[in-house]
Amino acid sequence: MERHQGHLSGLRGIFVDITARKASEAALEDSEARFRGTFEQAAMGVCLCAVNGRYMRVNQRYCELTGYSEVELLLRDFREITHADDLEANERLLDALILDNTERHSIEKRILRRDGELIWVNLTISLVRSRRGSGQFMEVIEDITARKHAERELRESEARMRSILSAMREGVIMRDAEGVVIIANAAARRLYGLAPEAVFPPLLEPEGYSFVREDGSECPVPELPGARAMVEGCSAAAVVGIVAENGQCSWVMARAEPLQRDTHTGLFPVVLTLNDLTAQRRAEEELRLAATVFDNSVEAIMITDAGRQILSVNKAFTVLTGHEPMSVSGQTPAILSSVRQGLNQYDRIWREAAMRGVWQGEVWQRRREGGEFPVWLSISVVRDRGGAIANFVAVFSDITERKANEARIAFLAHHDPLTSLPNRTLFQDRLEQALARCERNGGRLALLFLDLDRFKTINDSLGHLAGDRLLQAVAERLRHCVRDTDTICRQGGDEFIIVLPDVLDSEVSARVAEKILRRLAEPFEIDGNALGTSFSIGIAVYPNDGRQASVLMKNADTAMYHAKESGRNTYRFFTEAMNANALERLQVENQLRQALERSELLLHFQPQVELSSGRIVGGEALLRWQSEVLGFVPPGRFIPIAEESGLIVPIGRWVLWEACRQAKRWLVEGQARVTVAVNISALQFRREDIVELVSQALAETGLPPSCLELELTESLLMEQAEDVLDTVQCLKNLGVRLSIDDFGTGYSSLSYLKRFAVDRLKIDQGFVRDMVEDPDDAAIVRSIIQLGRSLKLDVIAEGAESRTQVDFLISEGCREAQGYYFCPPVTPEVFAQMISSSPDPSEWQREARRA
């Protein structure tokens, strides 16, 4: 019985399982039927793809959109019908679905239909995962080809409109009801002075712009045509000047047309057209200006018709000729003809102007009262559109004064304006003639090259005016030392050349040179000062020392330099040995010109020591030259050449920059703060804007101004003192320190010294060297120290070489010194080590000796 009941229970379980399975299968079949119906009847193309992109199932609409049958699509994957340019975007979409686990993504892409036609579709993809974790892509596509074509046509239409607007010469601006620019073409931007990417200013608050009426008065924004049309809803027009922020004004005829009222703001959108009137206004202004110029020109102007009958004359014509406008109207220019020319020649001038279109030249004309005067006459032809002569315009000015100056100009063209001696041009001509005569006749000729000794010192100390008077007096004495047939030329500055033609032997030129030296030895009385001077004279003789003018001049110049090196106030004849010295000097100069480019120049620094503590308070920057060709060149050998050749200017500029850079480097490295002193040459001070140069050096290197000291010479400060005072004051305003170098060797005025307000006096080493033995030098040093104390100036002595000298300076109250007793000039690296060990002098002196 129990076994029977168990069998019944098992049968009931099996029946229940079968019934449940049948119900599930029926539900699945029902769901599948509904999905198939929805899938097949969907209005959009739907497909299922494997993750590898192969089609697994497609609906009818998908087949219609692609042009493929279901069988054909199931043999393909989506890549085969996707446009090549859209494949990458499609792949990224699939990767995003898988990796990001997102529900769906959409893109727009192109499908290549079976018939070759391209259509645009909006593709939506979602990832459908099974219970086992595998997945499929469901793609839904919607045909958007018509929309895409409409968008393209809209873009093309907009592009055409932009092209039309861009090509228009009229400015076009469309603003909405709030005054914001919706459209503005290139012409409008040009009139407003706006870049293509710049934003147009609002209509009612145009910041950066102002507007003017036609009469030039300010035009408020509410009165502008655009503002009126926007508020009132009616057309408006006016001539307006648009003034940009940079002050540039564009004149326009502005016309505004309102569009449909905006219900939200109650205002009207506006279309504004702008016709550029700037050129027209400029032309009108030029006409007014031309009329003003005509009336107020200092030159006489006469306008005639084609038959030369006078139509108009200006005020200057009346002033110059005495003829009133009414009296000459209808007459011909022949009323001005001078007896010197005659009517025929005057008529020929006008006929030539008619033939050539223009005539210029010098003529004589007659005033109303009969007086004659020279004029520079310019006649121009004005033609009509057909090319026929319509008018003549004659412009002339009185050149009486110019004619009076022509003789003077001709003289100055061949003579030195200061001394009235022949200049280089006339001298060269006379020398060439004299050499030609010597060659024809077998004669001899001597060329003397003269340089006035110590002229620069006199010029710098007493001023250029005194120097000019001295040169004039020298020229006068030279005239009495030579014959009338000899030629004296001022070569430039304090240099003179004398040509002695037809000399029998060298003794003649020697006697002339001795005579010149004797006459120049007598003092000159210049502005109450008795000035003594002398010449250094070089002599070259034709034909022994050269047959060409250039060779003779070069050799005489070389001999002159040799005379200078021999102690000045003497003369020397040229020898070949001198030529070798000149070549060596030329080599130094040529190599020096390349020294900066080759980075051969370097700076050493000599410590400046506080005597009371032994602390290094500064360093003087001293120039050194290690040449690739010449080796180490001493400063005494190349610096004078740099001064004479003008190379000291770029070299001095480099020294200033390099000294500032080095001083800044020490500060950055944490060294003790010291002042670096830089010498400024007189030539650099005169030729360059020294204030701008120093300002740039400080700015670019970042050196504090108080760490820089400029050393200026006494003679430089005294030269054109008022101008120099202004420059010195500008330098002081920069915050740099100033000192007077080699103090005591010049002609200082204490009143000027006080006005210059320098910071320090530097006692010249020539006084320091002998001050212990020479009472005069000791007195000078003592006086300078006391003068500095009285004027509250620092005083530093240079050239201290012994303990005795240092003790003397300390006893006299001198605060600072520099010299070989403390340390010779050293490299920047050694100087930095010395600063770090200061104020212990024994330590940094050991550093210097080790270096």
Side-chain angles (χ1 to χ4, degrees):
M1 184 65 180
E2 291 177 357
R3 190 167 47 245
H4 179 69
Q5 289 177 347
H7 285 304
L8 289 176
S9 177
L11 290 172
R12 281 196 299 270
I14 293 170
F15 179 76
V16 170
D17 288 343
I18 292 172
T19 303
R21 188 171 62 251
K22 290 292 185 179
S24 176
E25 289 174 355
L28 183 60
E29 289 176 1
D30 184 59
S31 174
E32 173 69 19
R34 286 197 304 272
F35 170 77
R36 187 181 305 107
T38 302
F39 183 83
E40 292 296 339
Q41 296 172 18
M44 291 178 287
V46 183
C47 73
L48 289 175
C49 290
V51 291
N52 63 3
R54 193 168 191 84
Y55 290 109
M56 299 175 62
R57 191 168 184 176
V58 296
N59 70 353
Q60 184 60 32
R61 180 58 179 159
Y62 199 98
C63 294
E64 292 172 358
L65 289 174
T66 61
Y68 289 93
S69 67
E70 181 179 0
V71 173
E72 289 173 327
L73 285 174
L74 293 179
L75 296 175
R76 288 173 169 77
D77 65 28
F78 72 90
R79 298 176 185 83
E80 296 181 54
I81 67 171
T82 298
H83 192 280
D85 292 345
D86 297 334
L87 274 176
E88 185 178 351
N90 208 148
E91 295 283 4
R92 285 200 305 268
L93 197 65
L94 298 180
D95 293 341
L97 282 171
I98 296 172
L99 298 177
D100 299 344
N101 200 27
T102 53
E103 291 185 359
R104 63 175 58 85
H105 279 297
S106 296
I107 60 168
E108 293 180 352
K109 74 170 190 177
R110 285 161 291 182
I111 287 180
L112 185 63
R113 286 172 48 87
R114 190 176 187 278
D115 57 9
E117 180 187 358
L118 272 178
I119 64 169
W120 278 93
V121 297
N122 183 73
L123 168 66
T124 302
I125 305 180
S126 57
L127 182 63
V128 181
R129 298 185 183 275
S130 68
R131 293 180 181 178
R132 292 191 298 271
S134 60
Q136 299 175 341
F137 291 116
M138 175 178 284
E139 295 187 3
V140 178
I141 59 173
E142 178 185 4
D143 188 359
I144 58 171
T145 305
R147 192 194 79 195
K148 282 291 188 177
H149 288 167
E151 289 175 353
R152 185 184 64 191
E153 290 175 1
L154 180 60
R155 286 195 301 271
E156 290 173 353
S157 175
E158 290 176 348
R160 285 193 295 271
M161 185 185 73
R162 283 195 297 269
S163 298
I164 293 170
L165 288 175
S166 178
M168 290 177 65
R169 299 182 63 182
E170 278 186 324
V172 178
I173 301 172
M174 182 176 180
R175 295 182 184 270
D176 64 16
E178 294 180 349
V180 177
V181 171
I182 301 172
I183 296 173
N185 67 352
R189 290 184 172 276
R190 176 178 52 79
L191 290 170
Y192 270 81
L194 285 172
E197 67 280 0
V199 178
F200 245 95
L203 176 60
L204 300 180
E205 296 180 2
E207 183 178 351
Y209 291 88
S210 60
F211 304 90
V212 292
R213 299 187 182 94
E214 198 167 5
D215 60 4
S217 62
E218 184 179 355
C219 179
V221 171
E223 292 185 16
L224 295 174
R228 287 163 48 199
M230 187 173 74
V231 174
E232 300 170 5
C234 58
S235 301
V239 174
V240 178
I242 305 172
V243 183
E245 195 169 10
N246 61 5
Q248 185 174 355
C249 181
S250 298
W251 287 96
V252 298
M253 168 57 77
R255 294 182 176 87
E257 293 291 338
L259 303 178
Q260 186 174 359
R261 181 195 294 267
D262 180 71
T263 56
H264 178 68
T265 62
L267 301 176
F268 295 84
V270 172
V271 174
L272 186 70
T273 58
L274 306 173
N275 285 320
D276 191 357
L277 303 180
T278 306
Q280 177 183 330
R281 295 280 298 211
R282 188 178 297 118
E284 293 171 355
E285 189 63 31
E286 288 175 355
L287 285 175
R288 286 193 293 271
L289 180 61
T292 302
V293 170
F294 179 80
D295 289 336
N296 297 283
S297 173
V298 295
E299 294 184 305
I301 304 175
M302 173 175 57
I303 301 175
T304 77
D305 60 15
R308 299 190 215 164
Q309 287 190 329
I310 298 174
L311 302 175
S312 179
V313 296
N314 66 349
K315 296 175 184 177
F317 178 92
T318 300
V319 171
L320 204 56
T321 66
H323 290 284
E324 295 293 335
M326 293 300 295
S327 66
V328 297
S329 180
Q331 299 201 52
T332 68
I335 61 170
L336 303 176
S337 178
S338 163
V339 176
R340 299 194 185 201
Q341 260 109 219
L343 285 174
N344 289 337
Q345 186 177 355
Y346 205 66
D347 181 67
R348 181 182 56 79
I349 290 172
W350 284 83
R351 282 189 283 105
E352 189 173 335
M355 181 176 61
R356 296 184 178 180
V358 66
W359 186 92
Q360 285 187 335
E362 182 182 316
V363 299
W364 284 82
Q365 292 195 338
R366 186 175 73 252
R367 291 189 173 92
R368 185 170 180 269
E369 71 276 9
E372 296 187 345
F373 61 104
V375 301
W376 180 261
L377 174 64
S378 175
I379 305 173
S380 301
V381 170
V382 180
R383 299 184 183 275
D384 59 21
R385 292 183 179 179
I389 295 176
N391 300 95
F392 291 93
V393 178
V395 180
F396 57 90
S397 56
D398 189 350
I399 59 171
T400 303
E401 186 176 353
R402 193 188 82 184
K403 293 289 288 184
N405 289 331
E406 280 185 352
R408 175 65 178 164
I409 293 172
F411 179 83
L412 292 177
H414 297 91
H415 292 80
D416 173 45
L418 179 64
T419 61
S420 298
L421 293 174
N423 62 10
R424 294 183 183 183
T425 303
L426 182 56
F427 163 77
Q428 190 72 27
D429 181 64
R430 291 187 179 178
L431 177 58
E432 294 287 355
Q433 292 182 28
L435 287 172
R437 286 196 303 271
C438 287
E439 187 173 359
R440 285 196 305 270
N441 304 331
R444 296 167 64 84
L445 174 149
L447 187 67
L448 280 63
F449 206 109
L450 302 84
D451 184 87
L452 198 58
D453 297 329
R454 291 182 294 276
F455 175 72
K456 185 178 184 299
T457 302
I458 297 171
N459 202 32
D460 290 346
S461 302
L462 299 182
H464 288 300
L465 190 58
D468 289 346
R469 291 196 180 104
L470 176 60
L471 290 174
Q472 290 170 339
V474 167
E476 187 60 31
R477 287 194 188 180
L478 286 177
R479 289 188 182 95
H480 292 88
C481 294
V482 298
R483 303 165 297 182
D484 291 339
T485 55
D486 300 330
T487 298
I488 309 171
C489 162
R490 183 183 173 214
Q491 180 75 351
D494 58 350
E495 294 180 342
F496 297 83
I497 303 179
I498 300 177
V499 178
L500 304 178
D502 304 321
V503 296
L504 297 177
D505 51 41
S506 299
E507 288 298 319
V508 175
S509 54
R511 287 196 297 271
V512 172
E514 290 170 352
K515 183 178 180 181
I516 291 172
L517 294 178
R518 285 196 308 271
R519 292 297 304 271
L520 266 293
E522 301 170 11
F524 291 89
E525 189 70 24
I526 305 294
D527 295 340
N529 298 304
L531 302 179
T533 185
S534 61
F535 267 128
S536 294
I537 304 175
I539 305 173
V541 179
Y542 171 91
N544 299 358
D545 300 329
R547 291 181 171 273
Q548 289 81 34
S550 58
V551 176
L552 280 174
M553 289 181 65
K554 178 177 74 70
N555 291 342
D557 185 30
T558 300
M560 182 273 293
Y561 272 106
H562 193 70
K564 276 189 175 295
E565 293 171 355
S566 300
R568 305 173 186 265
N569 194 27
T570 186
Y571 65 90
R572 289 289 183 271
F573 283 91
F574 172 76
T575 64
E576 283 301 326
M578 294 179 186
N579 209 14
N581 291 336
L583 290 175
E584 191 243 356
R585 175 188 174 84
L586 181 61
Q587 184 185 25
V588 170
E589 181 178 337
N590 288 337
Q591 292 300 319
L592 187 58
R593 291 185 184 277
Q594 305 174 58
L596 276 176
E597 297 177 5
R598 295 174 176 173
S599 300
E600 296 175 353
L601 298 179
L602 60 151
L603 289 185
H604 282 190
F605 295 85
Q606 186 171 42
Q608 296 176 332
V609 181
E610 185 178 61
L611 294 178
S612 61
S613 64
R615 182 171 61 91
I616 296 176
V617 294
E620 181 179 4
L622 298 170
L623 184 62
R624 297 295 182 262
W625 179 21
Q626 184 66 41
S627 169
E628 293 180 3
V629 177
L630 305 176
F632 178 76
V633 185
R637 184 180 173 198
F638 74 84
I639 287 182
I641 295 175
E643 290 276 3
E644 293 169 12
S645 63
L647 292 172
I648 197 66
V649 175
I651 290 175
R653 193 182 309 127
W654 177 86
V655 169
L656 176 64
W657 248 264
E658 184 63 24
C660 291
R661 277 194 293 267
Q662 184 59 63
K664 176 62 176 179
R665 192 176 302 126
W666 291 330
L667 289 177
V668 172
E669 293 171 354
Q671 304 293 350
R673 188 185 182 99
V674 296
T675 301
V676 62
V678 177
N679 285 282
I680 302 296
S681 75
L683 189 63
Q684 186 180 11
F685 194 92
R686 287 192 296 267
R687 285 192 182 178
E688 295 206 290
D689 185 343
I690 196 68
V691 177
E692 179 66 18
L693 182 66
V694 173
S695 177
Q696 288 180 357
L698 292 172
E700 291 186 16
T701 61
L703 180 69
S706 59
C707 291
L708 176 64
E709 179 176 294
L710 303 179
E711 295 188 358
L712 311 174
T713 62
E714 277 185 278
S715 57
L716 170 62
L717 294 176
M718 293 304 297
E719 178 187 351
Q720 298 179 341
E722 291 300 328
D723 295 336
V724 174
L725 179 62
D726 293 339
T727 302
V728 168
Q729 187 57 53
C730 291
L731 290 172
K732 289 289 291 180
N733 293 339
L734 292 178
V736 301
R737 289 170 53 83
L738 298 175
S739 67
I740 300 181
D741 192 20
D742 300 337
F743 188 77
T745 60
Y747 299 85
S748 291
S749 164
L750 294 183
S751 62
Y752 276 122
L753 185 60
K754 183 177 180 181
R755 292 177 64 193
F756 282 125
V758 296
D759 300 287
R760 184 156 69 167
L761 305 179
K762 194 168 191 180
I763 305 174
D764 182 67
Q765 60 182 341
F767 301 127
V768 176
R769 185 184 302 113
D770 299 323
M771 65 184 177
V772 178
E773 293 83 14
D774 190 332
D776 292 335
D777 286 346
I780 292 173
V781 172
R782 187 178 296 113
S783 299
I784 295 174
I785 294 172
Q786 292 173 356
L787 176 64
R789 187 181 300 119
S790 301
L791 296 177
K792 296 182 174 56
L793 301 177
D794 294 336
V795 177
I796 182 171
E798 64 175 345
E801 298 182 352
S802 68
R803 183 68 213 183
T804 308
Q805 292 171 341
V806 173
D807 290 341
F808 179 89
L809 293 171
I810 294 174
S811 66
E812 293 299 332
C814 184
R815 294 179 56 188
E816 299 169 356
Q818 69 182 81
Y820 275 69
Y821 172 75
F822 302 104
C823 182
V826 294
T827 64
E829 294 75 22
V830 174
F831 189 80
Q833 295 173 7
M834 295 166 63
I835 298 173
S836 63
S837 62
S838 181
D840 184 354
S842 60
E843 180 62 29
W844 55 256
Q845 284 174 340
R846 282 195 296 273
E847 291 289 349
R849 283 194 292 271
R850 282 199 297 269

